[in-house]
Amino acid sequence: VVLCLVALTVAGPVRFAILGDRTGGHQDSIHEKIVAEVVKAKPEFVMSVGDYIEGYQPADTMKLAEEWEEYKAIVAPLKKPFYYVPGNHDITYDNALGTYERNAGKPYYSFDYKRMHFVVLDASRWEASDSLPAEQLDWLAQDLAKAGKATYTFVFFHKPFWTASVAEGKHDTLHSLFKTYGVDAVFNGHFHQYFSATYDGIKYTAIGSSGGETRPGPTGILYHWALVTVDNRKGITIEPVLL
């Protein structure tokens, strides 16, 4: 029995970084400085929440490709696994999907790391959970069902739909799935301000700006990234790290 219990825990503590939005009026050199700080922190891998390029090019895919080359050069020093999450600047229109896939891979996917399950969703072109394509929601339900033995489950998507639904006591399709399948924490970006809340035992956190134009929100936190530590005894600790 003891061996079984040990096998089900996270071999830790595990530390991973999360980069916030770079674009949406990106400020010169801020993202580069944050990447340099993350390199020094030596996390095991790096997550993100979207908005890597300025995008919004309805036809000029060559310009999109140039912006992607610029971004990949900025994050090249990380030398760690880096996981992309599509934002509205990255896949603004359906015709930008191909360019995104060539540079960042599938727009939604999942992976496992040391008994933790990570899910990345594509919320780039929709404004509410209920608007997401049925195909993606069906995939999510199946993926979460198969991940039932994970010690912790994390979900990443760009737009924090929950602020207009769960936070106001309204139905939210994603939140319902997260409750059903035991999701532990959800991370978003988009608003360029750091804020968090817990609903039905699920930690929701919006990472603020890692380079996009911003102003102090209620927390007063400006440019930053986040360090997440997962520990068997302490659980999940989320720490915004100021530039």
Side-chain angles (χ1 to χ4, degrees):
V1 174
V2 173
L3 289 175
C4 241
L5 288 172
V6 170
L8 287 172
T9 59
V10 175
V14 172
R15 297 162 72 250
F16 63 90
I18 308 176
L19 299 183
D21 293 31
R22 170 186 170 246
T23 57
H26 72 280
Q27 308 298 298
D28 286 345
S29 79
I30 295 291
H31 206 69
E32 290 85 340
K33 290 175 182 175
I34 284 176
V35 165
E37 287 195 356
V38 172
V39 169
K40 290 178 184 175
K42 297 181 179 178
E44 293 180 43
F45 56 95
V46 183
M47 299 297 302
S48 56
V49 292
D51 280 1
Y52 313 102
I53 65 171
E54 287 294 353
Y56 281 83
Q57 301 285 337
D60 192 351
T61 53
M62 188 174 291
K63 179 73 167 66
L64 289 180
E66 289 173 2
E67 291 186 7
W68 274 109
E69 287 305 310
E70 178 189 21
Y71 186 75
K72 287 191 289 186
I74 290 171
V75 293
L78 290 172
K79 309 292 186 193
K80 299 283 185 179
F82 181 76
Y83 295 94
Y84 287 98
V85 177
N88 51 293
H89 282 264
D90 310 314
I91 314 178
T92 313
Y93 315 104
D94 290 345
N95 71 336
L97 178 59
T99 304
Y100 180 88
E101 290 178 327
R102 283 190 292 276
N103 288 279
K106 295 179 180 179
Y108 60 91
Y109 59 94
S110 66
F111 67 94
D112 295 303
Y113 185 83
K114 295 184 178 179
R115 299 209 62 81
M116 295 180 290
H117 188 63
F118 291 79
V119 179
V120 168
L121 298 176
D122 177 10
S124 60
R125 288 150 287 167
W126 301 277
E127 300 301 330
S129 290
D130 293 346
S131 303
L132 294 175
E135 178 186 358
Q136 184 175 180
L137 292 172
D138 291 344
W139 172 87
L140 174 63
Q142 292 171 14
D143 182 81
L144 290 175
K146 287 187 291 186
K149 292 182 180 178
T151 306
Y152 293 104
T153 299
F154 302 92
V155 179
F156 291 75
F157 57 98
H158 183 64
K159 296 173 182 174
F161 298 142
W162 55 273
T163 58
S165 53
V166 186
E168 296 183 4
K170 299 174 184 176
H171 170 77
D172 185 282
T173 300
L174 287 178
H175 184 69
S176 296
L177 286 169
F178 299 161
K179 278 199 301 179
T180 299
Y181 294 106
V183 168
D184 296 285
V186 176
F187 295 95
N188 313 105
H190 193 53
F191 288 145
H192 297 194
Q193 292 183 347
Y194 183 93
F195 53 91
S196 62
T198 300
Y199 301 102
D200 298 311
I202 303 170
K203 295 173 182 273
Y204 281 89
T205 303
I207 307 299
S209 174
S210 287
E213 190 173 9
T214 189
R215 62 188 187 282
T219 59
I221 295 173
L222 281 172
Y223 302 115
H224 65 279
W225 56 283
L227 181 66
V228 180
T229 304
V230 186
D231 183 277
N232 288 328
R233 291 175 292 111
K234 298 178 182 177
I236 302 165
T237 303
I238 304 164
E239 177 189 359
V241 183
L242 298 181
L243 177 64

